[in-house]
Amino acid sequence: MEKIIAHIDMDAFFASIEQARRPWLKGKPIGITNHPDGRSVIATASYEARTYGIKSGMPVKEALKLFPNLILVKGDMNLYEKISDEIYEILIRYAPTVERFSIDEAFLDLTYKVKDYEEARVIGLEIKKEIFDKFSLPSTIGISYNKLIAKIASKEAKPNGLLVITKEEADTFLRKLQVSKIPGVGKKIEEVLKKKFNVETIEQLQKIGINELIKVFHTYGVFIYNAAHGIDNSEVVAEFEKEEEKSIGNSTTLDFDTDDIEVIKGVLRRLSSNICYRLRLKSLLAKRITLTIRYEDFSTFSHSKNIEKTNLDSQIYQEVLKLFFEIYSGQKVRLLGVSATHLNHIPYTLFNHNEEKNEKLLTAIDKVRNKIGNESISYANSVNLKFRLANKKISGGNSSAL
Ligand code: TTP
Ligand code: MG
């Protein structure tokens, strides 16, 4: 049976929220940032600001060069997450299966809810109206026979639009678009497609065989090929169906017991970075961490604390160290364990400039790890350890399982 899928994406989400709660900002060129003092990046810009070329991820300094009168507004992530939750509550009343895709995007499977695209369009308009009436926030909806085309359609219909693309219309719709309109095809892939195949549009991409694409892009070539032909068989996955990771943990028994603080710090550093690597692989942020210490007499102590959501090595390591010094008795240590719980999916990326820099570095490190193994990269104070670290996963539960 042919599916009917809707993709909703809020327009200039953070900026629209600020304009809705401060009416004097309506119709004005505004940029949302974490540090309006110029050290940060633009998380998003209102459509008025976009006409000057200002966009997400651009350093504030660069944005001000393009348009010195840009109004900078400090972001309020808690509010944005709260509104995102409330929008999701509205969406689940309209469709039996709703997948939250990011802080301001969701897919709705309308297949068993409507009999045709006309009914789907009516529901789409109702959703847009309800969200606008409640929050004064504009949104755009794309509707099609799969998630991929629905997402591309919503992007094309922005802002404040609704676009239905039937299966019959999909090929004509796709062919006229640039390859960068395929979700996931960024600047790098765009450049390679141009250089290797002289391809700029999806129409040109359709002429490249799947094997040629696989040769250059490996498995990603299959995705690019399918996308160019409007093929996407992925399901809309409801939140409650998503496999929930409860905890990510790691412990190590030292080769011999020690009270050497530098050695202990090195081990904690290594355990923290291993956990962060696994969090990032799964696009998760941790809100709580637990440290476990087992002393030479086998007495075992655990200590936990809530932290600012993160998956960055340095932040988790600092918190782990604090936990350590809060409970360390001075005895020789036999085993150390760190685990992260209260895990959340990452809703967005470039909100904070420093985090962005950190993330770039970590992404580069993660790439090397993926290639040559997790033990290949360490920080200065975790190398040259006299200890062989027998990393072992703590399966599923919390650190008391140690
Ligand atoms: P998007 O939906 O990508 O952007 P948008 O809603 O601002 O604009 P559009 O009308 O094009 O959909 O992202 C949603 C929010 O996520 C955005 O308002 C701010 C945040 N965000 C960042 O913090 N950093 C980023 O690099 C991007 C792309 C978004
Ligand atoms: Mg959006």
Side-chain angles (χ1 to χ4, degrees):
M1 181 185 185
E2 197 178 301
K3 290 183 202 155
I4 299 187
I5 310 287
H7 174 255
I8 180 165
D9 186 335
M10 304 303 295
D11 300 332
F13 189 47
F14 297 180
S16 301
I17 292 174
E18 297 303 337
Q19 288 178 323
R21 68 169 167 163
R22 300 186 177 97
W24 61 93
L25 292 177
K26 279 204 174 120
K28 301 260 166 59
I30 71 166
I32 308 302
T33 170
N34 230 5
H35 299 283
D37 57 7
R39 284 184 292 125
S40 187
V41 292
I42 301 288
T44 195
S46 64
Y47 275 78
E48 296 81 7
R50 293 183 194 192
T51 59
Y52 300 95
I54 295 163
K55 47 187 171 195
S56 292
M58 182 178 269
V60 167
K61 271 192 192 140
E62 203 179 317
L64 289 173
K65 261 189 220 149
L66 285 175
F67 184 58
N69 292 334
L70 178 70
I71 302 167
L72 293 170
V73 179
K74 187 166 167 22
D76 179 350
M77 223 26 231
N78 288 336
L79 174 68
Y80 309 152
E81 281 178 354
K82 183 171 163 278
I83 293 180
S84 172
D85 289 346
E86 287 173 21
I87 291 172
Y88 173 69
E89 292 303 319
I90 291 179
L91 298 178
I92 53 176
R93 284 198 279 103
Y94 284 92
T97 313
V98 177
E99 176 176 349
R100 271 178 109 162
F101 199 64
S102 77
I103 193 163
D104 78 330
E105 277 174 272
F107 289 100
L108 289 77
D109 192 339
L110 298 173
T111 312
Y112 298 103
K113 173 88 183 177
V114 297
K115 68 173 187 310
D116 56 23
Y117 281 113
E118 256 335 288
E119 270 188 27
R121 183 195 300 274
V122 171
I123 287 198
L125 290 173
E126 278 174 21
I127 292 173
K128 274 166 62 67
K129 182 172 181 315
E130 183 166 347
I131 293 175
F132 191 80
D133 289 349
K134 183 151 186 213
F135 305 102
S136 286
L137 295 177
S139 58
T140 299
I141 294 184
I143 298 174
S144 196
Y145 63 96
N146 66 28
K147 287 165 79 177
L148 175 84
I149 309 288
K151 186 162 162 68
I152 299 175
S154 71
K155 186 103 187 156
E156 283 306 289
K158 273 183 172 292
N160 197 16
L162 187 149
L163 180 60
V164 176
I165 301 289
T166 64
K167 196 160 191 179
E168 294 68 43
E169 292 162 342
D171 198 47
T172 318
F173 168 69
L174 279 178
R175 264 188 275 155
K176 64 177 195 305
L177 301 175
Q178 297 290 304
V179 289
S180 58
K181 296 290 171 126
I182 298 172
V185 171
K187 279 236 147 47
K188 283 259 157 59
I189 291 173
E190 202 182 347
E191 276 167 26
V192 178
L193 283 170
K194 171 81 185 125
K195 216 168 130 197
K196 295 248 168 182
F197 302 105
N198 199 23
V199 156
E200 282 173 299
T201 64
I202 296 183
E203 181 170 18
Q204 293 164 337
L205 181 56
Q206 286 181 346
K207 300 196 175 95
I208 313 294
I210 189 163
N211 290 332
E212 285 178 81
L213 291 170
I214 289 172
K215 258 186 228 153
V216 176
F217 299 106
H218 309 282
T219 47
Y220 199 67
V222 179
F223 168 77
I224 297 177
Y225 178 89
N226 283 341
H229 292 83
I231 300 166
D232 170 25
N233 296 319
S234 64
E235 299 287 329
V236 176
V237 184
E239 286 315 295
F240 61 86
E241 284 172 338
K242 281 191 180 159
E243 210 183 290
E244 238 191 76
E245 188 95 31
K246 292 247 167 4
S247 104
I248 288 187
N250 209 346
S251 72
T252 187
T253 302
L254 310 180
D255 270 4
F256 48 89
D257 306 342
T258 186
D259 52 9
D260 180 336
I261 293 298
E262 284 316 305
V263 169
I264 289 171
K265 275 177 159 178
V267 174
L268 292 176
R269 177 84 168 172
R270 188 133 178 172
L271 290 171
S272 305
S273 93
N274 174 283
I275 282 166
C276 290
Y277 168 65
R278 283 159 54 205
L279 287 170
R280 289 193 297 277
L281 270 187
K282 299 190 164 157
S283 297
L284 292 169
L285 298 170
K287 264 204 323 209
R288 190 171 174 82
I289 47 163
T290 301
L291 167 76
T292 300
I293 307 177
R294 180 170 296 153
Y295 294 110
E296 55 185 338
D297 62 358
F298 279 83
S299 59
T300 306
F301 299 87
S302 285
H303 189 28
S304 304
K305 76 181 286 201
N306 289 336
I307 56 169
E308 291 264 328
K309 276 188 227 167
T310 185
N311 60 16
L312 299 177
D313 298 28
S314 56
Q315 288 175 8
I316 296 227
Y317 172 60
Q318 288 309 325
E319 299 295 350
V320 165
L321 265 193
K322 278 189 216 153
L323 285 176
F324 175 79
F325 286 115
E326 277 167 25
I327 58 166
Y328 183 51
S329 68
Q331 280 169 273
K332 283 194 174 167
V333 173
R334 176 187 163 79
L335 171 146
L336 290 164
V338 176
S339 68
T341 51
H342 296 47
L343 308 179
N344 285 253
H345 278 274
I346 298 174
Y348 60 96
T349 49
L350 294 171
F351 196 51
N352 178 294
H353 184 49
N354 292 326
E355 271 181 18
E356 182 207 356
K357 269 205 215 147
N358 253 332
E359 271 176 23
K360 276 191 182 150
L361 172 68
L362 289 169
T363 308
I365 292 177
D366 289 349
K367 272 191 188 145
V368 179
R369 276 181 170 141
N370 282 337
K371 269 199 183 141
I372 54 179
N374 192 21
E375 296 303 307
S376 56
I377 291 200
S378 316
Y379 290 83
N381 73 344
S382 66
V383 291
N384 297 327
L385 286 182
K386 290 167 275 170
F387 295 84
R388 183 179 51 80
L389 298 179
N391 278 332
K392 62 173 190 212
K393 276 187 197 177
I394 301 170
S395 53
N398 58 36
S399 62
S400 60
L402 275 170

